[in-house]
Amino acid sequence: TLSVKLMVARDADLPAWVFAYPIVDVSLVVAIRRWKGQPLSTADRSHLHHWMMDRFDQRSWVATPILLTIACLPMMRVADFPGARAISLFGVAALGLLALKAFLDRILPGAEAAPAAQVRREIPFMAGTASTREPSGTHRTL
């Protein structure tokens, strides 16, 4: 809250640039769930990081740096160096295009989560219980 207050004092639009990734990600999830008629409270794999992991065959060492870079570009608006505004505009455009591609990939017919996304893990302190045969967390078959 304090950082947002400081940013607003400097530039009223600054929080939108700094929080561009979460804003786009939440908007993407809401749009996909609305399109599919799913309740907003239902867990699924509609977030950008899920889509990136599916695209890169569950290789987080590839997906994570790409997403971090794209998420950081709009924040360059805060930096005070020549070209910072152009870089932040490019970042928002790249983030928007990425979200559009993820949206289309998730809503078009035949769009499914990767089979490896539904991993069944044994929870160490619950070894041998019936719950280890179910998907962990809120995962369910899509």
Side-chain angles (χ1 to χ4, degrees), residues 111-122:
E112 296 178 17
Q118 303 300 324
V119 177
R120 297 182 192 277
R121 297 177 207 91
E122 185 171 318

Side-chain angles (χ1 to χ4, degrees), residues 63-77:
T64 302
I66 292 171
L67 269 181
L68 283 173
T69 301
I70 292 172
C72 287
L73 288 177
M75 295 180 204
M76 290 295 118
R77 175 76 58 146

Side-chain angles (χ1 to χ4, degrees), residues 45 50 53-55 57-58 106 110-121 135 139-142:
R45 296 186 49 81
H50 293 137
M53 290 292 290
D54 291 346
R55 300 289 289 182
D57 199 29
Q58 305 304 316
R106 292 294 194 214
E112 296 178 17
Q118 303 300 324
V119 177
R120 297 182 192 277
R121 297 177 207 91
H139 296 110
R140 61 186 175 92
T141 305
L142 298 177

Side-chain angles (χ1 to χ4, degrees), residues 32-84:
I32 291 171
R33 290 179 188 171
R34 288 285 183 187
W35 186 274
K36 291 183 173 186
Q38 295 175 338
L40 295 178
S41 60
T42 304
D44 63 4
R45 296 186 49 81
S46 298
H47 290 277
L48 277 173
H49 61 275
H50 293 137
W51 178 79
M52 287 289 283
M53 290 292 290
D54 291 346
R55 300 289 289 182
F56 289 105
D57 199 29
Q58 305 304 316
R59 286 182 264 164
S60 61
W61 61 272
V62 176
T64 302
I66 292 171
L67 269 181
L68 283 173
T69 301
I70 292 172
C72 287
L73 288 177
M75 295 180 204
M76 290 295 118
R77 175 76 58 146
V78 176
D80 193 21
F81 63 86

Side-chain angles (χ1 to χ4, degrees), residues 13 19 67 81 92-94 117 126:
D13 296 332
F19 297 114
L67 269 181
F81 63 86
V92 167
M126 298 180 77

